Amino acid sequence: KNVHIQVYPNPATSTVTIQLPTNQTSTIHFFDVVGKLVKKLTLTQSITLDVSDLPAGLYICSWQDQNGIMHSQ
């Protein structure tokens, strides 16, 4: 089953909204282009996240759902 979260706006300068497909516990990871973990958080609902502390660049978002299944985009 293909599960997606929504992360917007893209590009972002100060905040991004993370919208989960369902209200389940998910662990969200943000990695920079060299694979360094730059943010990690556990969510149970959609949030707006401050990203103004991150330098401009490309980031990979991955998440692990409550069943332990990893997804990325």
Side-chain angles (χ1 to χ4, degrees):
K1 182 178 175 183
N2 224 356
V3 178
H4 294 281
I5 63 171
Q6 293 182 5
V7 180
Y8 58 89
N10 185 4
T13 54
S14 59
T15 63
V16 294
T17 298
I18 302 171
Q19 217 170 12
L20 301 175
T22 60
N23 285 338
Q24 66 174 343
T25 301
S26 297
T27 303
I28 312 292
H29 304 86
F30 286 94
F31 298 94
D32 65 14
V33 292
V34 295
K36 179 183 173 190
L37 180 66
V38 294
K39 278 198 184 288
K40 178 181 176 181
L41 54 146
T42 300
L43 305 177
T44 56
Q45 61 185 359
S46 299
I47 66 157
T48 298
L49 177 67
D50 181 8
V51 292
S52 61
D53 59 325
L54 296 176
L58 179 67
Y59 295 91
I60 307 299
C61 177
S62 72
W63 69 100
Q64 184 172 11
D65 66 24
Q66 64 189 14
N67 299 317
I69 299 171
M70 290 295 292
H71 311 272
S72 62
Q73 63 186 53

